[in-house]
Amino acid sequence: MLFLFSLVFYAWGEAVYIWLMLASTVVAYVTGLLADRAKRKDSKLPFFSMLFAIVWNMGLLLFFKYTDFFINTANDAFGMHIKLLGFTLPIGISFYSFQTLSYVIDVYKGDVKSQKNFLTLGAYVALFPQLIAGPIVRYKDVEEQLMQRSETVENFSQGVRRFAIGLGKKVILANNIGALFTLISKTEQSEMSVCAAWLGAFAYTFQIYFDFSGYSDMAIGLGKMFGFTFLENFNYPYIASSITDFWRRWHISLSSWFRDYVYIPLGGNRKGKLRQCVNIMIVWFLTGFWHGANWNFMIWGVYYGILLLIEKFLLWNTLKKAPAVITHIYALFFIIIGWGIFAYDDFSVLTQSFKNMFGLGGVPFSNRMTLFNMLSYAVTFAVLIIASTPLPKKLANRLEAKKPVAFAVCEPLWIAVLLVVSTAYLAGNSFNPFLYFRF
């Protein structure tokens, strides 16, 4: 039933590419059965089966996500006029390609058993709660749950609570602060200021966090309703004390995927410092490349790779000894700069944005419009700052411990109000895109 309705869900959003997901599921099913080395000792078939799965999944991503990018690059570099293919990016392809690939690799490594029931594997690949924008759910994390799980009232209620919080993050917090980023990004250069450029960067920093973590909360909540327990994808990344700490807290499922399936197979830190540096840069270039077919994403990936290397080999001891407030400011500064790179896929707009941020764009430090926006969004920023820390959760836990009856009465009322307000926001806005849909 989950497999069937997950296909209906996917087809509702993009029916034309449902065959692609089914084909990927068939490939994962067949190569998974053939990649089991324990059953085929002294045979090269498991290795070639895994290799075929890698070629298939990476080939799909390269073809649908990057072909036009390569054509554009060739046209610009060599003055060619090759026509773009103009394919629409299949919804969720970046996520289900990584999931099916990790399944086959884990079977080959002997970490999981191959799944003999096609419908069970199909339910894993197409599972609609996390299909569109993650988190990346590995087969080994839900293998037992696919075979045996329990749907209970308690699990369902926890799922509804988590879903409502995620929906609120998206439509109340992310959408509202996203409106400010949109306004600033469309402001004429003659009306810009240094403070406005930084205000836009702050706005996008909060928008992408509450947008993506909101979707992850919704996916985890929906999974809980069906008896699944998905791993957390975020752990308050904006309280990080370093860039290394930030990437232990942000998009955890993607970071751990690249660590286990790229960094460690390349040799990790086992083959000397030079090889480790190369491996880290490869991983972070691919991380940026995974996000989209634009140079800004690759620059963003390389940017973080360089920062992580600097921290690892030059700053680590200094950061450990520095006061917490200093390390926190340091981390936030470079995180905001990173989102400034990530936000603009138009290179000329990206360049102008950074010129404005650092006073090189010929704009004033501030102006009336900037002050107006600061005052208009002051309360919103205060709410966003508090909501991005563990403080609300700690307060809720303390209330539950000290006033269990009051908490039992207030929590469902609060969730109901949150759902009603979120629904009202959805009804009032015809377009509510999740930022990570395009990746």
Side-chain angles (χ1 to χ4, degrees), residues 191 193 195-196 199 366-375:
E191 299 177 5
S193 69
C195 288
L199 195 64
S366 186
N367 55 29
R368 286 187 176 183
M369 183 60 69
T370 303
L371 292 175
F372 175 78
N373 286 330
M374 284 181 175
L375 292 173

Side-chain angles (χ1 to χ4, degrees), residues 230-293:
F230 299 147
L231 297 180
E232 295 294 333
N233 207 25
F234 291 88
N235 182 25
Y236 304 106
Y238 293 160
I239 66 169
S241 58
S242 65
I243 300 303
T244 304
D245 188 27
F246 171 72
W247 279 105
R248 291 184 184 130
R249 297 169 176 272
W250 178 276
H251 205 345
I252 299 168
S253 62
L254 181 67
S255 301
S256 61
W257 197 98
F258 274 107
R259 179 196 66 209
D260 294 345
Y261 299 106
V262 180
Y263 179 69
I264 292 175
L266 285 173
N269 59 0
R270 303 187 303 275
K271 297 185 177 182
K273 289 186 177 180
L274 179 60
R275 180 64 179 273
Q276 184 183 6
C277 292
V278 173
N279 292 343
I280 288 173
M281 291 309 300
I282 289 172
V283 164
W284 283 98
F285 175 80
L286 291 176
T287 300
F289 194 55
W290 177 87
H291 277 86

Side-chain angles (χ1 to χ4, degrees), residues 170-237:
K170 162 59 184 168
V171 301
I172 298 175
L173 299 181
N175 282 8
N176 273 321
I177 200 61
L180 175 60
F181 171 71
T182 301
L183 175 67
I184 291 174
S185 64
K186 292 182 178 179
T187 299
E188 295 292 334
Q189 181 67 11
S190 59
E191 299 177 5
M192 278 295 294
S193 69
V194 173
C195 288
W198 279 100
L199 195 64
F202 290 146
Y204 189 79
T205 296
F206 283 116
Q207 182 191 7
I208 196 165
Y209 169 63
F210 286 105
D211 185 286
F212 192 23
S213 70
Y215 186 95
S216 293
D217 286 342
M218 293 168 70
I220 291 168
L222 279 169
K224 200 75 173 176
M225 294 181 207
F226 293 110
F228 290 96
T229 300
F230 299 147
L231 297 180
E232 295 294 333
N233 207 25
F234 291 88
N235 182 25
Y236 304 106

Side-chain angles (χ1 to χ4, degrees), residues 74-128:
N75 286 344
D76 292 340
F78 304 108
M80 303 167 72
H81 301 283
I82 303 172
K83 187 177 180 181
L84 301 182
L85 299 182
F87 284 124
T88 304
L89 182 66
I91 294 174
I93 189 171
S94 297
F95 291 93
Y96 70 71
S97 293
F98 271 29
Q99 290 187 184
T100 55
L101 182 55
S102 66
Y103 160 72
V104 178
I105 292 174
D106 286 345
V107 170
Y108 176 78
K109 290 163 58 180
D111 292 343
V112 298
K113 296 179 180 178
S114 58
Q115 178 53 252
K116 297 176 180 61
N117 189 319
F118 178 78
L119 295 180
T120 301
L121 184 66
Y124 160 69
V125 175
L127 196 59
F128 77 88

Side-chain angles (χ1 to χ4, degrees), residues 414-435:
W414 175 71
I415 293 298
V417 170
L418 188 59
L419 280 170
V420 169
V421 173
S422 299
T423 304
Y425 269 94
L426 284 171
N429 294 281
S430 60
F431 187 54
N432 292 278
F434 283 93
L435 294 180

